[in-house]
């Protein structure tokens, strides 16, 4: 009798536990599927987990592969030692990369990029101080043959390859020209391989240190010294000094030149050696452009007898100091027609083109 009573109590307890579990499960399901005001379903834990797995917004796509299969998600800046191979990965089935441009310019075999089904891999062997720079990746979205960068799925990290013997990122030039314009900041590009280096900017003649006050002049280790409002008084030869725990190091030198001509399409002038020319004579027509020192100009001509008569075309350019410390690049194209014939008379048109546009100017050569 006593055994039967105990058995009945045990069965009743099991039934109660089963009912309690089902009620808890129903409450959990109801919470996961509840409807918010406005008719939108509340997000449950599954959607958050999915966002985590796909590297949602706010999470870096860019990671560094460490030893033994470990990964390090990279932040805005990363400091590494030179010499040891690095492998970077970026999540996505179609990925684009950017890295220091000289690796492309010189077709550096130390760099390789491979795309797999789920990620892209960038490997750089034997990195050095010269490889310091920005490394970025992004997801490429395609609609048929039309592909573009997804701005919401991109990551970048400025990587310093710190070398105590090379505090400055090596440059291919021992002397560089920096053009100063009144309408935009100028950068003296003395980048460093260690963000901890203490930097200063110096004028060579007369000897002086330029104060980096963070307003008119500030230092950015990823760019160099930024002159916010450059003027003629900033012209001259400059260099940078870097100090860490050891001996100070000096950068290459920079010639700062103030530019007179503002940005825009070429300003063109055409002038002929003679307005009236007799048959059998020789004529020179000069097309001149005054522009920015670091903006290249290309020339082309259209003229009577084109393709039928021989002409000689010469190109030249030179920097000119126009006073008050202002520098202008003068580019010229000269077309020469010798032993003028009837077919050579007429309109000669010069077209000058730069990155900002093009300008056409003509002159008429008359027989007389």
């Amino acid at each position: 009798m006593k055994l039967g009573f105990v058995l009945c109590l045990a069965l009743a307890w099991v039934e109660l536990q089963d009912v309690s579990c089902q009620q808890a499960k129903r409450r959990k399901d109801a919470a996961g599927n509840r409807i918010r005001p406005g008719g939108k379903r509340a997000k449950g834990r599954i959607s958050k987990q999915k966002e985590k797995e796909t590297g949602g917004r706010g999470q870096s796509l860019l990671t560094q592969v460490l030893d033994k299969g470990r990964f390090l998600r990279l932040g805005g800046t990363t400091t590494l030692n030179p010499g040891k191979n690095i492998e970077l990965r970026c999540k996505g089935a179609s990925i684009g990369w950017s890295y220091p441009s000289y690796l492309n310019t010189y077709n550096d075999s130390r760099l390789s990029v491979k795309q797999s089904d789920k990620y892209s891999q960038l490997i750089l062997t034997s990195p050095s101080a010269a490889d310091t720079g920005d490394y970025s990746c992004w997801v490429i979205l395609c609609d048929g043959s039309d592909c573009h960068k997804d701005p919401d799925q991109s990551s970048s990290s400025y990587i310093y390859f710190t070398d105590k013997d090379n505090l400055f990122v090596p440059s291919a030039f021992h002397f560089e020209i920096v053009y100063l314009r009144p309408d935009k900041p100028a950068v003296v590009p003395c980048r460093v391989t260690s963000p901890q280096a203490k930097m200063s900017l110096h004028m060579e003649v007369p000897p002086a240190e330029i104060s980096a006050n963070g307003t008119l002049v500030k230092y950015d280790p990823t760019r160099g010294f930024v002159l916010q409002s450059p003027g003629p008084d900033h012209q001259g030869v400059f260099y940078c000094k870097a100090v860490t725990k050891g001996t100070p190091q000096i950068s290459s030198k920079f010639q700062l030149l103030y530019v007179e001509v503002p940005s825009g399409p070429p300003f063109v002038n055409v002038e002929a050696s003679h307005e009236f020319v007799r048959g059998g004579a020789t004529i020179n027509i000069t097309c001149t452009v005054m522009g920015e020192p670091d903006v290249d100009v290309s020339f082309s001509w259209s003229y009577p007898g084109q393709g039928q008569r021989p002409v000689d075309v010469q190109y030249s350019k030179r920097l000119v100091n126009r006073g008050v410390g202002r520098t202008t690049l003068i580019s010229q194209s000269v077309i020469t027609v010798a032993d003028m014939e009837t077919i050579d008379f007429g309109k000669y048109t010069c077209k000058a083109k730069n990155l900002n546009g093009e300008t056409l100017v003509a002159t008429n050569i008359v027989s007389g």
Side-chain angles (χ1 to χ4, degrees):
M1 182 69 179
K2 206 179 272 189
L3 178 62
F5 178 72
V6 171
L7 183 59
C8 288
L9 284 176
L11 290 171
W13 183 83
V14 170
E15 288 294 329
L16 288 173
Q17 287 295 316
D18 185 56
V19 171
S20 176
C21 288
Q22 289 182 19
Q23 289 176 344
K25 185 174 186 296
R26 281 196 294 270
R27 284 197 299 270
K28 182 177 180 181
D29 291 342
N33 293 300
R34 68 183 182 274
I35 305 299
R36 288 180 176 173
K40 293 185 178 179
R41 189 177 300 277
K43 290 185 179 179
R45 294 182 182 178
I46 294 177
S47 61
K48 289 183 179 180
Q49 180 64 25
K50 184 177 180 182
E51 182 178 347
K52 183 177 180 181
E53 288 173 357
T54 56
R57 292 189 184 185
Q59 293 193 15
S60 174
L61 303 173
L62 187 61
T63 57
Q64 179 191 359
V65 180
L66 305 178
D67 294 334
K68 299 179 181 178
R70 294 182 298 119
F71 296 87
L72 174 66
R73 198 177 297 277
L74 299 185
T77 60
T78 305
T79 301
L80 300 175
N81 292 322
K84 185 178 180 180
N85 299 351
I86 66 163
E87 178 183 343
L88 305 179
R89 288 188 183 182
C90 196
K91 286 184 180 180
S94 181
I95 296 294
W97 289 90
S98 70
Y99 34 81
S101 58
Y102 90 95
L103 289 171
N104 262 343
T105 303
Y106 297 104
N107 253 345
D108 202 316
S109 60
R110 297 178 302 121
L111 179 78
S112 64
V113 175
K114 296 179 181 178
Q115 179 70 56
S116 66
D117 292 339
K118 295 183 179 180
Y119 63 87
S120 180
Q121 174 190 56
L122 181 150
I123 296 177
L124 181 62
T125 60
S126 303
S128 67
D131 299 314
T132 295
D134 188 69
Y135 291 76
S136 305
C137 68
W138 56 87
V139 172
I140 298 174
L141 299 178
C142 292
D143 182 7
S145 60
D146 181 24
C147 297
H148 64 276
K149 174 181 177 179
D150 184 354
D152 294 328
Q153 297 189 74
S154 63
S155 296
S156 68
S157 183
Y158 192 93
I159 301 180
Y160 296 93
F161 291 99
T162 299
D163 185 347
K164 64 179 182 179
D165 296 323
N166 289 285
L167 290 181
F168 290 100
V169 178
S171 170
F173 307 99
H174 295 292
F175 193 90
E176 296 184 50
I177 295 177
V178 176
Y179 296 106
L180 310 174
R181 297 178 178 81
D183 56 344
K184 62 181 181 181
V187 178
V188 182
C190 43
R191 297 185 297 127
V192 289
T193 62
S194 170
Q196 306 303 321
K198 183 180 179 181
M199 297 295 298
S200 56
L201 178 64
H202 300 261
M203 177 182 280
E204 193 170 65
V205 179
E209 180 177 341
I210 309 302
S211 175
N213 54 21
T215 305
L216 296 178
V217 180
K218 65 178 183 179
Y219 183 71
D220 180 346
T222 68
R223 300 175 65 198
F225 282 96
V226 181
L227 311 180
Q228 297 292 350
S229 301
D233 55 325
H234 290 120
Q235 285 199 125
V237 177
F238 289 76
Y239 63 89
C240 301
K241 182 186 290 185
V243 180
T244 52
K245 297 178 181 179
T247 306
Q249 295 183 23
I250 304 298
S251 71
S252 55
K253 295 182 180 180
F254 304 91
Q255 174 73 59
L256 275 58
L257 298 175
Y258 191 75
V259 176
E260 178 183 20
V261 182
S263 301
F267 178 79
V268 184
N269 178 63
V270 169
E271 186 176 0
S273 55
H274 302 89
E275 184 178 354
F276 298 96
V277 185
R278 293 182 179 181
T282 297
I283 188 170
N284 298 316
I285 304 171
T286 302
C287 187
T288 303
V289 171
M290 296 173 57
E292 301 173 76
D294 58 345
V295 176
D296 289 331
V297 178
S298 62
F299 294 92
S300 60
W301 289 91
S302 60
Y303 50 90
Q306 195 160 3
Q308 302 177 52
R309 289 274 291 143
V311 297
D312 179 62
V313 179
Q314 298 290 331
Y315 171 75
S316 65
K317 62 180 180 179
R318 67 183 188 278
L319 287 173
V320 176
N321 190 327
R322 301 183 62 82
V324 200
R326 300 173 186 267
T327 305
T328 300
L329 176 66
I330 296 182
S331 304
Q332 289 185 325
S333 179
V334 181
I335 184 171
T336 300
V337 184
D339 194 18
M340 291 284 289
E341 297 182 3
T342 302
I343 195 176
D344 297 319
F345 294 99
K347 185 168 70 173
Y348 286 72
T349 302
C350 170
K351 180 170 74 173
K353 184 177 181 180
N354 65 15
L355 293 174
N356 301 307
E358 62 182 36
T359 305
L360 283 79
V361 178
T363 186
N364 199 42
I365 303 301
V366 180
S367 175

